[in-house]
Amino acid sequence: MSSTRPSGARITALARDFPALWADPATPDRERKRLVRLLVTDVTLVRAEQITAHVRLTGGQEHTLTMPVPLASWQIRQTPPEVVTSIDELLDDHTDGQIAAILTDRGHLSGLGQDLTPGIVKHIRRAYRLRSHPQRLTEQGMLSLNEIARRLGVHTNTVKKWRNEGLLAGRLANDKGEYLYHLPGPEFTRPRIGRPPGPRPAPTETTIESAQGGAV
């Protein structure tokens, strides 16, 4: 009964042609499996921090191969660390929408390879528990519109007017156009509220005749 194992000469020839046969697009997968069975006697896999494969060939040679452990699906979709770091740095001075525009201009993408949007930046910020832009401004002592209006004893529309006129310092807090404000110091001069007083009409004189109802 003849042996089914390949001869030494055949193994040598197969090993020499193996790279070309394996890379040939015309080689079907079933033939690739057959090539492996002809050349490899056994493989021992050890998985730890990396995958180690101990391969024993038909000719008696042994080889050890190492490769990184494949990423899990959630790791593949994970936001790149440099994007998370950039978002954390930009949140000091920018809203979610501004950050999305800045990072898109820099060529950054999400973990799924998508362009960054305000919604994606918000999701990343919450997933990594990054303090929002309004939170960071509040930590600096800045006040909301209602809070500063109450502290100054004026209407919220007056606060907006003073900000537009440069009398109050405010910073954009979110993509809704809302601002947070610095409480002005003691040097703040409160503008006059309401219309400026106009000239008073000249008093009219009343004649004695008019006062007496025209009596003679």
Side-chain angles (χ1 to χ4, degrees):
M1 183 175 179
S2 61
S3 173
T4 58
R5 303 300 296 176
S7 64
R10 186 181 177 192
I11 292 174
T12 302
L14 182 58
R16 183 175 57 250
D17 298 335
F18 183 86
L21 291 171
W22 188 270
D24 190 346
T27 303
D29 288 340
R30 65 177 182 275
E31 292 300 326
R32 289 190 175 93
K33 294 179 181 178
R34 182 169 176 269
L35 291 172
V36 172
R37 286 196 299 267
L38 290 173
L39 289 176
V40 177
T41 299
D42 59 61
V43 177
T44 302
L45 294 178
V46 178
R47 177 167 177 158
E49 295 181 356
Q50 61 182 1
I51 295 177
T52 303
H54 300 287
V55 182
R56 187 156 56 94
L57 302 180
T58 304
Q61 294 179 330
E62 294 184 358
H63 298 274
T64 299
L65 306 175
T66 59
M67 62 195 73
V69 177
L71 296 176
S73 58
W74 66 268
Q75 291 174 312
I76 296 174
R77 298 192 301 268
Q78 194 173 21
T79 303
E82 62 271 17
V83 173
V84 179
T85 300
S86 296
I87 290 176
D88 191 22
E89 294 173 350
L90 292 170
L91 278 169
D92 287 340
D93 302 301
H94 301 280
T95 67
D96 293 343
Q98 292 172 336
I99 293 173
I102 292 172
L103 294 184
T104 297
D105 288 342
R106 294 179 183 176
H108 290 296
L109 299 174
S110 71
L112 294 176
Q114 300 173 331
D115 289 334
L116 293 168
T117 65
I120 292 178
V121 172
K122 180 179 179 181
H123 174 76
I124 294 172
R125 173 168 54 78
R126 290 182 172 179
Y128 288 87
R129 298 182 180 180
L130 304 178
R131 301 183 334 279
S132 68
H133 182 51
Q135 288 175 325
R136 299 179 189 217
L137 295 181
T138 301
E139 290 169 359
Q140 298 175 23
M142 300 191 73
L143 305 175
S144 69
L145 176 62
N146 290 329
E147 289 171 337
I148 193 169
R150 184 170 59 252
R151 296 282 292 271
L152 295 178
V154 298
H155 195 275
T156 54
N157 289 338
T158 301
V159 173
K160 295 178 182 179
K161 180 175 181 294
W162 287 353
R163 175 176 57 79
N164 291 335
E165 294 175 351
L167 301 176
L168 287 177
R171 293 182 63 182
L172 186 64
N174 55 41
D175 295 316
K176 298 178 182 179
E178 297 173 341
Y179 281 75
L180 291 180
Y181 298 83
H182 288 291
L183 186 67
E187 72 282 356
F188 176 68
T189 302
R190 181 185 295 267
R192 182 183 180 88
I193 301 176
R195 294 182 178 180
R200 295 182 178 180
T204 58
E205 296 183 0
T206 303
T207 63
I208 297 177
E209 291 79 5
S210 298
Q212 295 178 349
V216 178

